[in-house]
Amino acid sequence: MTEQQYDTAIFAGGCFWCMVKPFDSQEGIVSVVSGYTGGTTVNPTYEQVCSGTTGHTEAVQITFDPQVFPYEKLVNIYWQQTDPTDAMGQFADRGDSYRPVIFYNSPQQKEIAQASKAALQASGRFKKDIVTTIEEAKPFYPAEEYHQDFYKKNPAHYNRYRRGSGRDQFIANSW
Protein backbone atom coordinates (compact mmCIF):
# COMPACT_ATOMS: atom_id res chain seq x y z
CA MET A 1 0.00 0.00 0.00
CA THR A 2 1.48 3.35 -0.97
CA GLU A 3 1.15 6.61 0.93
CA GLN A 4 -0.99 8.12 -1.88
CA GLN A 5 -3.80 5.68 -1.10
CA TYR A 6 -4.17 6.98 2.43
CA ASP A 7 -6.38 9.90 3.42
CA THR A 8 -6.51 12.11 6.49
CA ALA A 9 -9.33 13.27 8.73
CA ILE A 10 -9.18 15.95 11.42
CA PHE A 11 -11.58 16.00 14.36
CA ALA A 12 -11.76 18.27 17.39
CA GLY A 13 -13.77 16.94 20.31
CA GLY A 14 -12.43 18.45 23.49
CA CYS A 15 -9.25 17.17 25.05
CA PHE A 16 -7.22 15.43 22.36
CA TRP A 17 -6.06 12.77 24.85
CA CYS A 18 -9.60 11.39 24.80
CA MET A 19 -9.93 11.46 21.01
CA VAL A 20 -7.04 9.10 20.18
CA LYS A 21 -7.98 5.73 21.67
CA PRO A 22 -11.39 5.30 19.98
CA PHE A 23 -9.76 5.51 16.55
CA ASP A 24 -6.31 4.10 17.27
CA SER A 25 -7.14 0.40 17.39
CA GLN A 26 -9.37 0.24 14.31
CA GLU A 27 -8.22 -1.79 11.32
CA GLY A 28 -7.33 0.58 8.49
CA ILE A 29 -6.18 3.39 10.78
CA VAL A 30 -2.52 4.12 10.07
CA SER A 31 -1.92 6.78 12.73
CA VAL A 32 -3.68 9.15 15.12
CA VAL A 33 -1.75 12.30 16.02
CA SER A 34 -2.76 14.80 18.71
CA GLY A 35 -2.29 18.42 17.73
CA TYR A 36 -3.65 21.87 17.10
CA THR A 37 -5.54 23.36 14.17
CA GLY A 38 -7.90 26.12 13.12
CA GLY A 39 -5.87 29.06 14.39
CA THR A 40 -3.39 31.62 13.19
CA THR A 41 -0.21 30.89 15.15
CA VAL A 42 2.34 28.79 13.26
CA ASN A 43 3.45 25.70 15.20
CA PRO A 44 1.86 26.71 18.52
CA THR A 45 2.77 25.22 21.88
CA TYR A 46 0.30 23.70 24.32
CA GLU A 47 0.70 26.72 26.59
CA GLN A 48 -0.05 29.12 23.72
CA VAL A 49 -3.17 27.19 22.70
CA CYS A 50 -4.38 27.03 26.32
CA SER A 51 -3.97 30.81 26.61
CA GLY A 52 -6.80 31.22 24.11
CA THR A 53 -4.84 33.66 21.95
CA THR A 54 -3.97 31.45 18.97
CA GLY A 55 -7.42 30.54 17.66
CA HIS A 56 -6.44 26.86 17.61
CA THR A 57 -8.42 23.97 18.97
CA GLU A 58 -7.08 20.65 20.21
CA ALA A 59 -7.69 18.02 17.55
CA VAL A 60 -6.56 14.68 16.20
CA GLN A 61 -5.33 14.01 12.69
CA ILE A 62 -6.14 10.50 11.57
CA THR A 63 -4.35 8.87 8.65
CA PHE A 64 -6.47 6.04 7.31
CA ASP A 65 -6.94 3.66 4.43
CA PRO A 66 -10.36 4.56 2.98
CA GLN A 67 -10.61 1.15 1.30
CA VAL A 68 -10.50 -0.53 4.70
CA PHE A 69 -12.05 2.12 6.93
CA PRO A 70 -14.19 4.66 5.05
CA TYR A 71 -14.52 8.27 6.18
CA GLU A 72 -18.21 7.71 7.04
CA LYS A 73 -17.19 5.24 9.75
CA LEU A 74 -14.70 7.76 11.17
CA VAL A 75 -17.46 10.38 11.40
CA ASN A 76 -19.76 7.90 13.16
CA ILE A 77 -17.08 7.12 15.74
CA TYR A 78 -16.43 10.85 16.16
CA TRP A 79 -20.04 11.64 17.09
CA GLN A 80 -19.98 8.94 19.76
CA GLN A 81 -16.98 10.55 21.52
CA THR A 82 -18.43 14.04 21.89
CA ASP A 83 -21.36 16.08 23.12
CA PRO A 84 -22.46 17.50 19.76
CA THR A 85 -24.85 19.91 21.51
CA ASP A 86 -22.11 21.84 23.35
CA ALA A 87 -20.41 24.46 21.15
CA MET A 88 -18.13 25.98 23.81
CA GLY A 89 -16.12 23.01 24.92
CA GLN A 90 -16.49 19.40 25.82
CA PHE A 91 -17.30 18.12 29.27
CA ALA A 92 -14.95 19.66 31.89
CA ASP A 93 -12.87 21.40 29.20
CA ARG A 94 -14.30 24.79 28.31
CA GLY A 95 -13.48 27.40 25.72
CA ASP A 96 -12.57 27.73 22.06
CA SER A 97 -9.59 25.40 22.25
CA TYR A 98 -11.95 22.55 23.17
CA ARG A 99 -14.83 23.23 20.77
CA PRO A 100 -16.18 20.34 18.67
CA VAL A 101 -15.33 20.62 14.96
CA ILE A 102 -15.15 18.30 11.99
CA PHE A 103 -12.43 19.72 9.75
CA TYR A 104 -12.88 18.51 6.18
CA ASN A 105 -10.06 17.98 3.69
CA SER A 106 -12.16 17.60 0.53
CA PRO A 107 -15.60 18.38 -0.87
CA GLN A 108 -16.49 14.70 -0.37
CA GLN A 109 -15.56 14.82 3.34
CA LYS A 110 -17.61 18.02 3.72
CA GLU A 111 -20.65 16.39 2.10
CA ILE A 112 -20.36 13.25 4.25
CA ALA A 113 -19.94 15.29 7.46
CA GLN A 114 -22.89 17.57 6.65
CA ALA A 115 -25.15 14.61 5.81
CA SER A 116 -24.12 12.83 8.99
CA LYS A 117 -24.79 15.93 11.10
CA ALA A 118 -28.22 16.37 9.50
CA ALA A 119 -29.05 12.70 10.14
CA LEU A 120 -27.99 13.00 13.79
CA GLN A 121 -30.14 16.13 14.19
CA ALA A 122 -33.13 14.41 12.55
CA SER A 123 -32.71 11.29 14.70
CA GLY A 124 -33.99 13.02 17.81
CA ARG A 125 -31.27 11.36 19.91
CA PHE A 126 -30.54 14.73 21.56
CA LYS A 127 -33.11 17.23 22.82
CA LYS A 128 -30.84 20.17 21.90
CA ASP A 129 -29.58 21.10 18.44
CA ILE A 130 -26.41 19.56 17.01
CA VAL A 131 -23.98 22.51 17.07
CA THR A 132 -20.69 20.85 16.08
CA THR A 133 -19.27 22.94 13.25
CA ILE A 134 -17.97 21.62 9.95
CA GLU A 135 -15.05 23.71 8.74
CA GLU A 136 -12.43 23.54 6.03
CA ALA A 137 -9.18 22.08 7.33
CA LYS A 138 -6.36 24.46 8.13
CA PRO A 139 -2.74 23.57 8.84
CA PHE A 140 -2.42 20.90 11.52
CA TYR A 141 0.47 21.10 13.98
CA PRO A 142 1.38 18.00 16.01
CA ALA A 143 1.34 18.53 19.76
CA GLU A 144 4.35 17.96 21.95
CA GLU A 145 5.56 14.38 22.26
CA TYR A 146 4.28 13.96 25.83
CA HIS A 147 0.70 14.41 24.50
CA GLN A 148 1.03 11.67 21.86
CA ASP A 149 -0.58 8.33 22.76
CA PHE A 150 -1.28 9.65 26.25
CA TYR A 151 -3.71 6.82 26.99
CA LYS A 152 -0.87 4.32 26.49
CA LYS A 153 1.84 6.28 28.31
CA ASN A 154 -0.26 7.28 31.34
CA PRO A 155 -3.26 4.92 31.50
CA ALA A 156 -4.20 5.62 35.13
CA HIS A 157 -4.14 9.40 34.62
CA TYR A 158 -5.99 9.05 31.31
CA ASN A 159 -8.76 6.90 32.83
CA ARG A 160 -9.17 9.21 35.85
CA TYR A 161 -9.39 12.20 33.53
CA ARG A 162 -12.04 10.61 31.27
CA ARG A 163 -14.19 9.66 34.26
CA GLY A 164 -13.66 12.92 36.10
CA SER A 165 -14.40 15.09 33.08
CA GLY A 166 -17.86 13.55 32.66
CA ARG A 167 -17.08 12.21 29.17
CA ASP A 168 -17.48 8.52 30.03
CA GLN A 169 -20.81 9.06 31.79
CA PHE A 170 -22.18 11.19 28.93
CA ILE A 171 -21.17 8.61 26.33
CA ALA A 172 -22.69 5.78 28.37
CA ASN A 173 -25.95 7.70 28.77
CA SER A 174 -26.17 9.02 25.20
CA TRP A 175 -24.96 6.21 22.98
Side-chain angles (χ1 to χ4, degrees), residues 41-59:
T41 301
V42 174
N43 203 26
T45 65
Y46 178 71
E47 290 74 22
Q48 288 173 315
V49 172
C50 288
S51 75
T53 60
T54 68
H56 287 288
T57 187
E58 290 190 12

Side-chain angles (χ1 to χ4, degrees), residues 2-41:
T2 63
E3 189 73 27
Q4 288 86 359
Q5 293 174 297
Y6 294 148
D7 200 353
T8 59
I10 302 173
F11 299 119
C15 175
F16 48 33
W17 292 348
C18 296
M19 295 298 293
V20 175
K21 186 177 180 181
F23 297 101
D24 201 30
S25 61
Q26 305 289 333
E27 184 178 346
I29 303 299
V30 177
S31 67
V32 183
V33 177
S34 296
Y36 317 108
T37 193
T40 56
T41 301

